[in-house]
Amino acid sequence: MNILKYSEKHSAFREKFRAFVKKEILPNAEKWEQDHMVPKQAWKKMGQEGFLCPCVQPEYGGPGLDFLYTVIIIEEMARTRQTGLISYLHSDIIVPYIESFGSEWQKKKYLPGCVSGDIITAVGMTEPGAGSDLASISTIAVEEEGHVIINGSKTFISNGINCDLLIIAVKDPLIENPHKAISLYLVEDKTPGFKKGGKLEKMGMHSQDTAELFFTNCRIPVENLLGEKGVGFVMLMKKLQQERLTCSIMALNKAEYVLEWTIEYCKNTQVSGRPLSSSQSVQFAFAEMATEARMSRLFVENLIADHMEKKDIVIETSMAKYQTSDMANRFANRCLDIIGSYAMDEQCPLVRELRDLKVMPIFAGTNEIMKGIIAKSMKL
Amino acid sequence: MKFIIRFPWHGFCTSVIGETLMHKILNRKKKTSVFTGKPEEENMSFKISKPQKEIQKAARDFAKGEFDKDLAFDMERAQKFPEDVRNKAAGLGFIGIHYPEEYYGAGLGILENVLLAEEFCKKDSSMGIGLMLSGFAAECILRFGTDSLKDRFLSGIASGEMLSGEAFTESVSGYDTGDIKTWAQKKEDAWIINGQKTLVTNGGKAGVYCVLCRTDPGSIGADGISMILAEGNSEGLLSVNPRDKLGMRMVSTSDLVFNNVKVPCSNLVGKQGKGVLQALAFYDEARILLSAMALGTARGAFLRALDYVRQRELFGKKLAGFQVTRHKLADMAMGINIAEHLVYEVAADFDSGRSDSGRIAMAGLSACQAAIDVSSEAIQLLGGYGYMAEYELERFYRDAKSMGIFLGNTGMMKDIIAKNIIEKIK
């Protein structure tokens, strides 16, 4: 009943990526979690093996594959017990901005490095005073003699420490309408005036180097403008569909992983001489969760197919982002409860999932923002 | 001295009420609850007395002065409790407030202890839990132990000199305490304990453990199991496998290995062969305290979220101005109020000599659920900040989730509630 049709090439790619995960990611996941960092080398290995930016076109050094390859990478990544090597953020959320809106020389300059892993990207939208309400950002950019001077700060930036290239959303202080004042610029690491703050201490996603970024009279060439001036908002809106879809794929697979793991655990764990899975309430809980996950998968797979046909499904992907991230959190909560005392222990793999998943209803547009978008589409 | 009129059908017949009057009250009150099959209490909602309010305020002031946010952050990461805070708390009588005065307690009830737990956890869930579990399982000694055991251990716990813990669970047995392999052999005037326990609260840190051991070698199930005290520094007693936990990290958890641990015969708590019953009674009492800690955690998370939404602005107005935010707050407040009612009620009931496992489980479940839901929603309201350790809510959430599992998960609580309803109605 699966909607997506994977070819033999896709399957071979999945096998190849699984082998890579087994060899290069799983053995290092614990260390990355402890270090609160993924070494740049790991990103490079991903690139060398062809697992970064699968959709970037060959003229910019990419393999030019279809979106199903992205789906495969996200699905397998969901089961790696680490979130620092957040390749879909780089490959499928940030790099597409450059590919879609970048000038020819920007694409030639940056995309090959993004594909090879020599350039790790980040996107700076959120600020201490502006999250869901992007229009209220206060980082400003002023043009001055062929340069752009950026002042302000960004926070909660994933890949904040590792990033070699940042797409930053800034405001032109001279334009009143906030929706027409936002532009996107490319800022390279080590640009004078661009300072990376310390890693932020979070509930989970410990291997992810989330950071604050500071800009003090940071000068970049005007050529670093991404797309046109003042249409930052529009560009961001155009890319939301894929962003939400990739988040949904991740959340869905995390939910499935949580459920699969718990079912296995309950089958193999005896309490008072009976496996945990022999309890009727546990069985019904699994039945309910399996049903919800299955329905969710069919919806998400349908969206993947539509997205590949370039259909406008921005509302549906908002639905999926909200539903899958919410579901994954409910599953983690419920499964920990079913597992019982072992679920208090960091050794239990689901403890990390609970901590990591908690941010999914918050990032990439909070679920409240998603619901607002869905409601707005109904013209109420 | 407090004077509480205790209702006669619970075995606390007060001689001040004449027999005729008593019958009248009895007849009037014989309505039974559809939920519990028990008499409906007329006195369902009660007020906290003035002295109790003073205790509450003292706890609030103490937490405000001593529970430092940065200290809590560091200690929680390191899985340690700041011992000077414990000592100060003990010095002010906050540990073992329900112990008799001769054992360094205040001779007060569980309700007073509940008020402390709530205030402490409201200020800081991790610190509150760490402090309130200092004397975990010492209630076994308090309720069932001899005066000499009380004298030996309760004073030390109340004065902050030692911690206590339970050594009930074994790797195969989970909460089913009847399935116990650890055994104690009586040799002359001593018990020789051998075996292994898991998930011991204050494991490796406690000065005394309440150990469930099989004392009758031929027995099976719950019969033939006794509760014996083993001091933490006993020869042959080893703490292994300290746990790295999701929450409740200021309380240590480890396994204990007993290798010919010799304790005096007088360390038997309560009756020989009644260990499991005593442990179950203790779990009831412990769940009241746990639900109070969860209630405080929920309140603390709620207040932090409330504070944030009143200040944070987006789309040109305060977050607190959005209807969806307001309804979230309404849900959170409702969960807290329901839990509060149940928790205070079971605590007051316990102090009046009425203990009902089913209602206690309801209190525990509703309070833990409130703590989980409220802290989870609070994180969502704070958005990215909610996910950051600096804003404490992620810690409250982890503590809440751990408390929901600590003394039995949802399934177990519902089993207890259902058992009480069904068996009492038939």
Side-chain angles (χ1 to χ4, degrees):
Chain A
M1 188 153 96
N2 285 0
I3 289 157
L4 300 174
K5 301 282 178 274
Y6 290 104
S7 67
E8 275 178 27
K9 276 186 181 167
H10 287 120
S11 305
F13 183 84
R14 193 188 283 274
E15 285 313 311
K16 192 182 155 212
F17 186 56
R18 273 189 186 161
F20 178 83
V21 164
K22 210 172 161 187
K23 184 165 170 273
E24 301 290 347
I25 300 180
L26 293 178
N28 296 313
E30 293 308 312
K31 186 171 174 1
W32 297 346
E33 283 281 306
Q34 279 165 23
D35 294 351
H36 285 211
M37 194 81 185
V38 174
K40 286 196 169 194
Q41 200 52 37
W43 286 88
K44 279 188 187 155
K45 275 187 185 158
M46 279 283 286
Q48 282 159 11
E49 299 285 333
F51 299 127
L52 289 179
C53 309
C55 303
V56 167
Q57 291 306 308
E59 59 258 48
Y60 306 113
L65 298 170
D66 65 43
F67 189 70
L68 282 185
Y69 288 88
T70 284
V71 175
I72 290 166
I73 293 171
I74 299 174
E75 291 200 325
E76 298 303 322
M77 274 290 189
R79 289 159 168 84
T80 55
R81 303 205 5 83
Q82 61 80 37
T83 45
L85 191 57
I86 188 163
S87 70
Y88 74 100
L89 173 68
H90 168 82
S91 305
D92 312 305
I93 296 175
I94 305 173
V95 169
Y97 280 102
I98 304 172
E99 211 183 358
S100 300
F101 306 117
S103 65
E104 197 55 30
W105 83 264
Q106 284 172 344
K107 290 198 256 189
K108 285 257 155 57
K109 187 177 181 193
Y110 296 119
L111 289 178
C114 293
V115 175
S116 69
D118 291 313
I119 295 174
I120 302 169
T121 56
V123 61
M125 290 199 254
T126 303
E127 295 181 2
S132 293
D133 183 7
L134 186 70
S136 67
I137 59 169
S138 58
T139 297
I140 54 166
V142 184
E143 266 189 48
E144 198 182 284
E145 296 159 7
H147 278 83
V148 177
I149 322 277
I150 300 173
N151 276 291
S153 65
K154 296 285 175 182
T155 194
F156 311 144
I157 307 305
S158 301
N159 297 344
I161 304 291
N162 262 336
C163 71
D164 303 291
L165 183 67
L166 173 80
I167 298 178
I168 187 173
V170 293
K171 208 174 210 173
D172 184 336
L174 300 174
I175 297 175
E176 250 179 54
N177 182 346
H179 292 93
K180 289 180 179 166
I182 293 175
S183 302
L184 303 182
Y185 286 95
L186 294 164
V187 183
E188 290 180 27
D189 185 23
K190 310 240 162 43
T191 304
F194 169 26
K195 202 171 142 263
K196 294 172 175 178
K199 276 176 275 183
L200 295 166
E201 293 281 354
K202 311 184 293 294
M203 177 183 193
M205 293 191 84
H206 287 322
S207 48
Q208 170 50 236
D209 52 313
T210 314
E212 283 178 284
L213 306 176
F214 303 99
F215 304 87
T216 317
N217 293 324
C218 173
R219 285 169 75 89
I220 54 166
V222 281
E223 293 78 37
N224 282 23
L225 173 70
L226 188 64
E228 284 172 49
K229 214 178 157 194
V231 295
F233 226 93
V234 179
M235 288 190 280
L236 292 170
M237 292 300 142
K238 277 188 183 157
K239 287 292 167 194
L240 289 179
Q241 178 164 312
Q242 179 150 319
E243 173 172 344
R244 287 171 199 160
L245 184 56
T246 50
C247 289
S248 307
I249 299 165
M250 178 53 90
L252 167 67
N253 280 276
K254 287 262 185 195
E256 288 175 339
Y257 166 67
V258 163
L259 180 59
E260 283 160 23
W261 191 91
T262 309
I263 291 172
E264 259 332 278
Y265 177 84
C266 290
K267 275 186 189 169
N268 296 312
T269 305
Q270 305 257 327
V271 169
S272 310
R274 286 170 24 168
L276 275 172
S277 57
S278 68
S279 150
Q280 193 185 26
S281 71
V282 170
Q283 291 174 2
F284 276 37
F286 289 159
E288 286 166 17
M289 286 188 274
T291 305
E292 192 179 351
R294 193 86 192 99
M295 293 176 78
S296 183
R297 172 162 281 278
L298 291 178
F299 182 59
V300 170
E301 290 202 353
N302 208 348
L303 294 185
I304 293 168
D306 285 351
H307 182 68
M308 291 173 75
E309 289 174 22
K310 308 227 177 317
K311 289 186 185 163
D312 177 0
I313 45 162
V314 73
I315 303 302
E316 287 82 356
T317 52
S318 306
M319 291 174 174
K321 192 268 168 183
Y322 135 61
Q323 191 273 341
T324 53
S325 60
D326 185 68
M327 171 177 74
N329 271 279
R330 281 185 284 109
F331 281 21
N333 244 306
R334 199 169 182 189
C335 287
L336 283 186
D337 188 49
I338 289 169
I339 290 164
S341 54
Y342 180 47
M344 290 177 72
D345 199 323
E346 278 283 343
Q347 296 268 315
C348 173
L350 295 200
V351 167
R352 184 174 299 165
E353 298 303 331
L354 179 91
R355 290 191 287 94
D356 290 353
L357 284 169
K358 193 74 185 110
V359 78
M360 293 202 85
I362 296 169
F363 70 18
T366 66
N367 284 4
E368 286 73 19
I369 292 292
M370 295 303 117
K371 290 176 196 176
I373 292 165
I374 299 161
K376 203 174 170 192
S377 76
M378 296 167 185
K379 305 198 174 10
L380 304 169
Chain B
M1 196 46 210
K2 287 183 295 183
F3 182 75
I4 303 166
I5 296 174
R6 286 156 172 165
F7 292 116
W9 54 88
H10 294 287
F12 285 84
C13 186
T14 49
S15 54
V16 281
I17 304 176
E19 206 161 299
T20 334
L21 183 61
M22 196 177 86
H23 274 287
K24 272 187 187 166
I25 295 169
L26 270 173
N27 290 335
R28 186 160 55 88
K29 295 249 177 108
K30 262 188 179 166
K31 276 192 280 178
T32 51
S33 161
V34 285
F35 298 111
T36 63
K38 291 198 131 194
E40 288 267 23
E41 302 293 343
E42 193 180 59
N43 191 23
M44 279 284 276
S45 71
F46 55 90
K47 287 197 172 70
I48 293 173
S49 70
K50 209 176 162 209
Q52 284 166 339
K53 274 188 184 153
E54 278 162 18
I55 289 167
Q56 204 173 32
K57 187 176 179 301
R60 195 176 301 149
D61 292 345
F62 178 77
K64 199 177 164 193
E66 300 293 333
F67 291 5
D68 179 70
K69 192 173 142 182
D70 295 334
L71 176 74
F73 176 85
D74 292 341
M75 286 285 170
E76 206 258 351
R77 283 283 153 108
Q79 303 205 83
K80 283 180 183 156
F81 188 85
E83 291 306 326
D84 57 324
V85 174
R86 189 177 344 255
N87 290 333
K88 277 184 199 166
L92 291 167
F94 289 130
I95 300 176
I97 198 172
H98 54 309
Y99 302 170
E101 284 171 44
E102 59 262 48
Y103 309 121
Y104 214 77
L108 295 166
I110 290 297
L111 183 55
E112 283 81 2
N113 213 26
V114 157
L115 296 174
L116 295 184
E118 193 188 338
E119 285 304 322
F120 291 157
C121 289
K122 189 170 87 183
K123 176 68 183 161
D124 189 302
S125 57
S126 314
M127 296 277 280
I129 292 165
L131 192 53
M132 291 314 291
L133 294 187
S134 300
F136 191 69
E139 284 80 10
C140 296
I141 306 171
L142 178 67
R143 307 296 172 205
F144 308 108
T146 59
D147 287 347
S148 116
L149 286 180
K150 289 180 195 171
D151 198 38
R152 265 172 67 200
F153 297 109
L154 293 185
S155 314
I157 292 163
S159 61
E161 284 158 29
M162 68 160 85
L163 306 178
S164 58
E166 96 295 15
F168 295 171
T169 307
E170 297 184 9
S171 56
V172 288
S173 69
Y175 283 99
D176 184 17
T177 38
D179 190 9
I180 275 171
K181 305 261 185 309
T182 297
W183 88 287
Q185 192 181 11
K186 204 169 191 175
K187 269 193 183 161
E188 292 159 11
D189 57 349
W191 294 104
I192 313 290
I193 308 172
N194 278 289
Q196 188 156 356
K197 294 288 181 180
T198 190
L199 298 175
V200 178
T201 307
N202 289 327
K205 299 265 173 71
V208 62
Y209 298 103
C210 266
V211 192
L212 282 183
C213 322
R214 196 165 288 288
T215 44
D216 178 358
S219 64
I220 44 161
D223 291 332
I225 290 167
S226 306
M227 193 179 273
I228 297 172
L229 298 182
E231 285 174 75
N233 58 4
S234 304
E235 205 176 312
L237 176 54
L238 201 63
S239 166
V240 295
N241 194 11
R243 298 300 203 280
D244 185 11
K245 296 205 297 291
L246 166 67
M248 303 178 74
R249 289 167 61 90
M250 289 197 191
V251 179
S252 70
T253 303
S254 76
D255 293 349
L256 290 182
V257 181
F258 294 81
N259 190 7
N260 287 321
V261 173
K262 189 177 171 185
V263 303
C265 261
S266 56
N267 276 19
L268 177 76
V269 178
K271 294 201 176 95
Q272 192 171 332
K274 297 289 178 202
V276 169
L277 285 177
Q278 290 167 198
L280 290 174
F282 160 68
Y283 273 139
D284 274 352
E285 185 169 355
R287 277 190 196 112
I288 301 175
L289 187 65
L290 178 81
S291 52
M293 297 189 305
L295 177 61
T297 302
R299 273 197 211 289
F302 179 77
L303 291 173
R304 281 161 175 80
L306 188 62
D307 199 37
Y308 183 84
V309 301
R310 278 177 167 158
Q311 289 173 31
R312 178 76 172 185
E313 282 184 30
L314 75 163
F315 302 114
K317 62 177 176 179
K318 296 273 193 246
L319 187 48
F322 290 84
Q323 190 187 26
V324 166
T325 307
R326 301 170 80 86
H327 285 192
K328 281 180 185 207
L329 292 172
D331 278 338
M332 292 155 91
M334 203 159 71
I336 291 170
N337 276 315
I338 291 167
E340 177 198 276
H341 194 88
L342 275 162
V343 174
Y344 286 5
E345 187 187 69
V346 293
D349 277 355
F350 190 95
D351 288 335
S352 312
R354 308 189 294 262
S355 181
D356 177 331
S357 306
R359 291 180 85 82
I360 290 170
M362 284 185 200
L365 195 53
S366 66
C368 287
Q369 201 55 54
I372 293 165
D373 292 346
V374 171
S375 55
S376 173
E377 198 62 81
I379 289 174
Q380 188 69 23
L381 283 171
L382 264 76
Y385 290 107
Y387 199 63
M388 299 298 137
E390 193 192 335
Y391 285 77
E392 303 175 293
L393 287 169
E394 64 91 17
R395 192 153 53 78
F396 276 62
Y397 178 60
R398 287 188 287 109
D399 282 336
K401 193 65 197 152
S402 290
M403 282 191 278
I405 299 166
F406 179 51
L407 294 181
N409 61 2
T410 306
M412 192 185 172
M413 291 305 102
K414 287 185 184 173
D415 281 347
I416 295 172
I417 296 166
K419 186 169 180 258
N420 271 265
I421 295 169
I422 294 163
E423 290 185 1
K424 289 192 176 153
I425 275 182
K426 72 182 176 192

